[in-house]
């Protein structure tokens, strides 16, 4: 009779039974072929497409081509001159009609009003984030005056300050102050409580607290307010000059447009409008772009 009893393997000295070893094997590596670039190199057109300035120039060129085609199709220079006629009138205005000096006259007035409005907006928002009565004051004033069109104050400004530069500056301050104050205050209130507590723990006073902590933390909102305020001020100034005319013996871009409209030089009217647009593009894509790159983009606050 066969003995079917099982004789277990003796335990090793450490007292633990080791798991059975798996047989070793090797796999032969198959040929993978040549390994190419990890990232596909961009073509020339793709590299050009990544240039922001070139894309925007193409947009402007497309707009100019559509303008030219529509004006040629309409064939009514008195109502809608072609792009080439407008470009010729623009060059003629620069050479003969002192268009650049008129543009500088408008910009000088705008910069004065813009600077005064920025200072007032900083003071108002500083008081608003420091005290309850300041917050109530800012909320009440913005609710009252922000919906009021700035150009509607021009007749009152002319009565108060006369036919001079001060009237235009008064209207520009009203156009810039309230949207800038609203954006700045919204940026201040969105700053995290952790940063606020850190500023208080450092013992920062009201002014240093705003300048060294709140303004850098809320600068994306402040920059948006600066852009909106610039746009409001620029179009308000042109509209005011159309009504106001000459300021202190000098005419600006609005006066250039108004004067040529009365004389039915429609190509020069369009040249004045193009000058307004070009200055707006220059400020938006050069000045504010430079500020954005060296502040919020450098700090990693926006992409």
């Amino acid at each position: 009779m066969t003995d079917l009893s099982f004789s277990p393997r003796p335990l090793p000295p450490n007292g633990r039974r080791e798991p059975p070893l798996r047989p070793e094997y090797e796999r032969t590596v198959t040929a993978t072929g040549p390994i190419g670039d990890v990232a596909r190199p961009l073509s020339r057109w793709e590299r050009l497409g990544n240039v922001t300035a070139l894309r925007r120039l193409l947009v402007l060129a497309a707009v100019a081509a559509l303008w030219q085609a529509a004006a040629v199709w309409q064939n009514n220079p008195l109502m809608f001159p072609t792009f080439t006629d407008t470009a010729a009138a623009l060059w003629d205005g620069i050479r003969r009609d002192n268009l650049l000096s008129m543009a500088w006259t408008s910009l000088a007035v705008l910069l004065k009003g813009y600077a005064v409005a920025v200072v007032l907006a900083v003071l108002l928002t500083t008081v608003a984030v420091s005290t309850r009565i300041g917050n109530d004051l800012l909320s009440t004033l913005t609710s009252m005056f922000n919906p009021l069109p700035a150009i509607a104050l021009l007749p009152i400004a002319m009565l108060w300050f006369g036919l001079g530069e001060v009237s235009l500056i008064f209207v520009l301050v009203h156009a810039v102050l309230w949207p800038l104050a609203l954006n700045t205050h919204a940026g201040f209130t969105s700053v995290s409580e952790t940063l606020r507590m850190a500023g208080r723990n450092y013992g920062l006073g009201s002014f240093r607290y705003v300048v060294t902590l709140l303004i850098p933390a809320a600068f994306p909102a402040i920059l948006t307010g600066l852009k909106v305020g610039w746009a409001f001020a620029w179009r308000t100034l042109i509209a005011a000059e159309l009504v106001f005319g000459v300021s202190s013996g000098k005419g600006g871009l609005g006066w250039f447009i108004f004067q040529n409209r009365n004389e039915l030089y429609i190509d020069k009217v369009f040249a004045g409008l193009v000058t307004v647009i070009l200055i707006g593009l220059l400020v938006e894509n050069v000045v504010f772009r430079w500020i954005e790159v060296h502040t919020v983009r450098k700090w990693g606050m926006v992409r």
Side-chain angles (χ1 to χ4, degrees), residues 24 56 59 110 120 122 125 132 138-139 168 200 206 214 251 253 264:
E24 296 183 358
R56 294 182 180 181
V59 172
L110 186 144
L120 291 178
V122 171
T125 50
R132 289 184 178 179
L138 180 61
S139 299
L168 293 177
R200 297 190 190 99
S206 298
L214 291 183
L253 277 175
L264 293 181

Side-chain angles (χ1 to χ4, degrees), residues 281-300:
L281 288 174
L282 185 66
V283 172
E284 179 72 24
N285 294 286
V286 176
V287 178
F288 284 118
R289 180 71 176 178
W290 184 88
I291 296 174
E292 182 180 350
V293 168
H294 288 81
T295 54
V296 293
R297 289 187 182 274
K298 184 178 180 180
W299 301 338

Side-chain angles (χ1 to χ4, degrees), residues 101-147:
S101 64
M102 289 184 174
W104 174 246
T105 300
S106 296
L107 284 174
V109 176
L110 186 144
L111 290 175
K112 293 176 184 178
Y114 194 78
V116 173
V118 169
V119 173
L120 291 178
V122 171
L123 292 177
L124 272 176
T125 50
T126 301
V127 174
V129 298
S130 301
T131 61
R132 289 184 178 179
I133 187 64
N135 188 22
D136 295 336
L137 176 66
L138 180 61
S139 299
T140 304
L141 291 179
T142 51
S143 300
M144 290 170 55
F145 294 116
N146 192 41

Side-chain angles (χ1 to χ4, degrees), residues 15 19 29 37 39 53 82 94 122 195 212 218 228 265 292 301 303:
V29 180
D37 297 328
T82 62
I94 292 173
V122 171
L195 286 177
T212 62
V228 173
Y265 293 140
E292 182 180 350
M301 303 176 77
R303 294 182 179 180

Side-chain angles (χ1 to χ4, degrees), residues 38-229:
V38 176
R40 179 180 63 83
L42 298 177
S43 65
R44 179 181 300 177
W45 293 108
E46 289 174 329
R47 290 196 301 271
L48 291 176
N50 289 330
V51 181
T52 303
L54 181 60
R55 295 197 309 269
R56 294 182 180 181
L57 286 175
L58 289 176
V59 172
L60 292 177
V63 171
L66 290 174
W67 178 358
Q68 180 73 15
V72 170
W73 175 77
Q74 190 179 23
N75 193 22
N76 189 354
L78 187 61
M79 298 295 294
F80 190 34
T82 62
F83 175 77
T84 54
D85 290 341
T86 302
L90 178 62
W91 176 245
D92 186 69
I94 292 173
R95 289 192 303 118
R96 299 181 181 180
D97 298 331
N98 297 323
L99 181 58
L100 292 181
S101 64
M102 289 184 174
W104 174 246
T105 300
S106 296
L107 284 174
V109 176
L110 186 144
L111 290 175
K112 293 176 184 178
Y114 194 78
V116 173
V118 169
V119 173
L120 291 178
V122 171
L123 292 177
L124 272 176
T125 50
T126 301
V127 174
V129 298
S130 301
T131 61
R132 289 184 178 179
I133 187 64
N135 188 22
D136 295 336
L137 176 66
L138 180 61
S139 299
T140 304
L141 291 179
T142 51
S143 300
M144 290 170 55
F145 294 116
N146 192 41
L148 184 64
I151 196 65
L153 295 177
L154 184 59
I156 297 177
M158 294 171 65
L159 288 175
W160 288 352
F161 306 110
L163 300 176
E165 191 177 276
V166 180
S167 297
L168 293 177
I169 293 176
F170 176 80
V171 174
L172 291 174
V173 169
H174 174 80
V176 178
L177 175 59
W178 310 116
L180 179 56
L182 278 175
N183 278 272
T184 303
H185 187 256
F188 286 172
T189 55
S190 64
V191 176
S192 66
E193 189 62 29
T194 303
L195 286 177
R196 295 173 180 273
M197 293 176 62
R200 297 190 190 99
N201 290 336
Y202 273 102
L204 297 178
S206 298
F207 182 76
R208 291 185 60 197
Y209 177 74
V210 172
V211 172
T212 62
L213 191 144
L214 291 183
I215 289 181
F219 201 74
I222 296 174
L223 186 59
T224 301
L226 290 172
K227 292 180 180 180
V228 173

